[in-house]
Amino acid sequence: MAVPEIKDVERGEIVSRVEGLGNPLLKKVADQDDVEESEINESYFMVLFSTFVAVCGSFEFGSCVGYSAPTQSSIRQDLNLSLAEFSMFGSILTIGAMLGAVMSGHISDLTGRKGAMRTSACFCITGWLAVFFSKSALLLDVGRFFTGYGIGVFSYVVPVYIAEISPKNLRGALTTLNQLMIVIGSSVSFLIGSLISWKILALTGLAPCIVLLFGLCFIPESPRWLAKAGREKEFRVALQKLRGRDTDITNEAEDIQASIQALEILPKARIQDLVSKKYSRSVIIGVSLMVFQQFVGINGIGFYASETFVKAGLSSGKLGTIAIACVQVPITVLGTVLIDKCGRRPLIMISSGGIFLGCILTGTSFFLKGQSLLLEWVPFLAVGGVLIYIAAFSIGMGPVPWVIMSEIFPINVKGIAGSLVVLVNWSGAWAVSYTFNFLMSWTSPGTFYMYSAFAAMTIIFVAKMVPETKGKTLEEIQASIRRDISRKMQSEDSSFFGW
C-alpha cells in the first residue's frame, strides 16, 4: 500500500515516503520529481500573482511620493506658488498619510486586506483627478491630501497582505517587492515627469489604481484574516488556492488556527495594551525602525532632489533626478535577492552605514561651497553623496523596516500596532519633508550631518534590539518573541530575589 506524500509547504518542499520495493525505484523517483515540480509551480503562481496585484498599490505609493520632485518648478510657475505654499503641497501628502495610517489597521481588520486596498485605490483616484483639474493651491492641496490618505492605508496593508499569504521561504523577498515597486513608481515619476507636464503626470497615477481594482477580483483574501474573522470555509478555500489544489494544507491550516485560537482567549487589544510587557518589545522595534527610517532624511531628499542638486551647483536638477531613478531600481532588486539570503539585521546595518557615508559626503560638499573651497569638486561630491545615500537606503533601510513590521506583531494586535507604527512613519515623513527646505536655508551642511547621526544610531539600535526573522514562519516568530520575553522576566525575577 502506498503511503501518501507529505508536503512541507512553508519550506517549499515536498517529501515523499516510498513503499513497495518491487516497483522500479528510478522510475518512481523521476515521476515524483515531475509531480513535485508541477505542484510547486502551481502553488507559487497564485502567491506571485496575488503579490503582483497587491504591489500595484506600492507602485501608486511611489508615484505619489515621486510626483513633487520633477514638478516643483513648473507647478510653482504655473500656479504662482511661493516656497511655503509648495512646501505645504509637498508635505500635505504626509498629513493625509498620517490619517490613513491611523485608520489603516481598523479598515483592514474590518473589511479585510482586499477591502482596504480597494478603499485606498478609490481615494488615490479621487486625489489625482483633483490635482489634474486644479487651478489654485487649494484644490491642488486637497488632491494631494486624498492621495496621501490612500497611500497611508497602502503602506500598512500591502506588506501585511503579502506576509500573510507567503510561504516563509519566499516571505522576505516578496514583502521586499513592496519597496521595489515604491522605488519603481517614484523612479518612473522622476523620469517621465522630466518629459511631460505636471497635469499629464497626475493622470498617469490613475493607471496602477485601475490595475489593482481589476486584479483584486481574481486573488484570494488573506487566509489568516479569514481565520481570525471566523470564516472557516473561506479560510481553507483561500489557503488551498494559494498553495495549489493538490497540496495538503492540513498542517499549515492547523498551525494558523492554533495560533489564532491561542490569541483569541486574550482580551480585545486596546492601544494601552501595546505598552505591556507582552507586546512592548515588538512595539519598540517597529516604532524605532520607522523613526530611524524617516529621520535619516529620505523624504526631504526625495521630495526636493532637483532643487538640492541646483543648490549644490548643478546647472539643472533634472540630470540628478534621472540619475537617482537609474540607481534606485537595480539596487532595490539586489536588496530583494539578498534579504532572504543575508537576513534582515545585516542588510539594515550595512544600509545605515552607506547612508551615513552619503550624508557625510553631501554635507561636506555644502560646507566646502559655503567656505568657497574646492568649488570644482562640490557638484561631484553632492551628486555622489546623494547617489550613495539613495543606493544604501534602497537596499536595506527602505524595505527592511516594512518587512519587519509585517512580521513581528501577533495578529490580534496587528491592526492597532500596525496603525501606530505607520502613523509614526508618516509623522516623521511630514516633519522631514516640511522642514527640509527651511533647514537647508538655515544650514545645508548641518542638515546632512544631522541625518548622518540618525544613521549611526540605527546601526547601534539594530545590533542591540532587532531579532533576525529570516527563515521563520509568522507563528514561529511570535513564539520566539514570547520565549525571549519570558526568559527576560524570569531573569528579572531571579535578580530581584537574589537567586
Side-chain angles (χ1 to χ4, degrees):
M1 180 179 69
V3 176
E5 294 175 334
I6 299 173
K7 301 178 178 65
D8 188 346
V9 179
E10 285 279 342
R11 290 186 172 83
E13 301 170 352
I14 299 178
V15 183
S16 298
R17 287 187 278 183
V18 181
E19 291 188 2
L21 298 178
N23 294 327
L25 182 59
L26 292 177
K27 182 177 183 300
K28 194 157 191 168
V29 170
D31 290 344
Q32 288 167 351
D33 288 343
D34 292 340
V35 171
E36 176 180 338
E37 182 177 355
S38 66
E39 289 182 357
I40 289 175
N41 289 339
E42 179 190 356
S43 64
Y44 283 180
F45 169 78
M46 183 49 69
V47 171
L48 295 175
F49 178 68
S50 300
T51 300
F52 167 77
V53 172
V55 296
C56 288
S58 308
F59 187 94
E60 176 67 13
F61 184 156
S63 299
C64 295
V65 170
Y67 181 77
S68 61
T71 60
Q72 180 169 355
S73 58
S74 58
I75 289 179
R76 288 187 65 187
Q77 182 178 355
D78 290 352
L79 299 183
N80 195 27
L81 301 183
S82 66
L83 177 62
E85 286 175 322
F86 190 83
S87 293
M88 175 56 71
F89 169 71
S91 62
I92 202 171
L93 176 86
T94 57
I95 297 175
M98 281 190 275
L99 182 60
V102 169
M103 301 181 67
S104 60
H106 180 69
I107 292 172
S108 61
D109 282 348
L110 184 65
T111 66
R113 313 318 189 201
K114 289 172 62 177
M117 286 188 273
R118 286 192 187 96
T119 302
S120 304
C122 292
F123 270 93
C124 288
I125 289 172
T126 303
W128 284 123
L129 292 176
V131 170
F132 176 77
F133 288 110
S134 63
K135 294 183 179 179
S136 66
L138 178 60
L139 189 57
L140 192 73
D141 289 345
V142 169
R144 188 73 163 163
F145 179 85
F146 271 68
T147 57
Y149 182 92
I151 67 173
V153 178
F154 273 138
S155 63
Y156 167 76
V157 73
V158 171
V160 166
Y161 175 77
I162 296 171
E164 290 181 350
I165 67 169
S166 303
K168 70 180 181 183
N169 62 311
L170 293 179
R171 191 180 63 245
L174 292 182
T175 309
T176 309
L177 288 177
N178 172 57
Q179 180 67 19
L180 174 61
M181 294 302 287
I182 292 173
V183 166
I184 292 175
S186 62
S187 298
V188 169
S189 289
F190 282 161
L191 292 172
I192 65 175
S194 304
L195 305 174
I196 62 178
S197 73
W198 60 272
K199 283 184 174 285
I200 301 302
L201 183 61
L203 288 182
T204 65
L206 301 176
C209 294
I210 294 170
V211 174
L212 175 69
L213 290 172
F214 180 73
L216 286 173
C217 300
F218 302 98
I219 64 174
E221 180 56 89
S222 162
R224 286 176 169 87
W225 179 82
L226 291 169
K228 181 175 178 286
R231 294 156 65 170
E232 172 71 19
K233 184 177 180 181
E234 294 170 75
F235 156 65
R236 290 188 171 273
V237 169
L239 187 59
Q240 192 74 68
K241 191 172 183 180
L242 287 164
R243 300 299 180 249
R245 65 178 182 273
D246 296 324
T247 301
D248 183 2
I249 61 169
T250 303
N251 290 338
E252 186 177 7
E254 288 176 352
D255 288 344
I256 292 172
Q257 288 178 316
S259 177
I260 290 172
Q261 287 168 4
L263 295 170
E264 282 179 346
I265 64 175
L266 301 173
K268 187 176 181 180
R270 300 166 299 173
I271 188 69
Q272 55 264 41
D273 293 333
L274 298 181
V275 298
S276 67
K277 285 187 176 181
K278 189 180 301 181
Y279 306 122
S280 59
R281 186 183 180 205
S282 296
V283 172
I284 289 170
I285 292 168
V287 167
S288 299
L289 287 178
M290 293 305 181
V291 168
F292 289 130
Q293 185 195 61
Q294 289 306 318
F295 281 90
V296 296
I298 183 59
N299 276 297
I301 294 169
F303 280 13
Y304 308 113
S306 60
E307 293 298 311
T308 302
F309 287 133
V310 170
K311 193 169 183 178
L314 288 181
S315 58
S316 171
K318 288 186 177 180
L319 182 61
T321 56
I322 290 171
I324 287 175
C326 294
V327 166
Q328 277 185 311
V329 176
I331 295 297
T332 307
V333 171
L334 178 62
T336 302
V337 173
L338 292 178
I339 192 166
D340 279 325
K341 295 183 180 295
C342 299
R344 283 57 157 161
R345 280 165 48 90
L347 207 56
I348 203 169
M349 286 192 285
I350 292 169
S351 171
S352 299
I355 290 170
F356 177 85
L357 175 62
C359 286
I360 292 294
L361 290 175
T362 309
T364 301
S365 74
F366 283 107
F367 175 78
L368 293 175
K369 184 183 178 184
Q371 301 299 316
S372 299
L373 299 172
L374 302 174
L375 293 180
E376 66 277 11
W377 286 96
V378 167
F380 296 103
L381 280 175
V383 173
V386 170
L387 292 181
I388 290 172
Y389 175 100
I390 292 294
F393 186 89
S394 298
I395 201 171
M397 198 63 181
V400 175
W402 294 107
V403 174
I404 293 175
M405 183 274 290
S406 69
E407 294 176 329
I408 60 173
F409 295 117
I411 197 165
N412 66 313
V413 298
K414 185 170 281 188
I416 192 169
S419 293
L420 173 65
V421 168
V422 177
L423 173 62
V424 169
N425 181 275
W426 283 110
S427 299
W430 174 81
V432 170
S433 62
Y434 187 73
T435 60
F436 182 79
N437 281 328
F438 300 110
L439 285 172
M440 289 289 287
S441 299
W442 176 44
T443 168
S444 298
T447 301
F448 284 93
Y449 292 149
M450 179 183 68
Y451 295 154
S452 71
F454 279 100
M457 286 188 285
T458 303
I459 298 173
I460 297 170
F461 176 79
V462 171
K464 294 288 186 180
M465 286 290 294
V466 178
E468 182 56 71
T469 59
K470 180 186 75 169
K472 298 177 181 177
T473 67
L474 298 182
E475 288 71 34
E476 287 171 345
I477 293 168
Q478 301 313 315
S480 174
I481 291 174
R482 287 195 297 270
R483 284 195 301 270
D484 289 345
I485 293 172
S486 177
R487 281 197 296 266
K488 183 178 179 182
M489 292 175 67
Q490 289 174 359
S491 176
E492 290 174 354
D493 290 343
S494 298
S495 298
F496 179 79
F497 287 110
W499 293 348

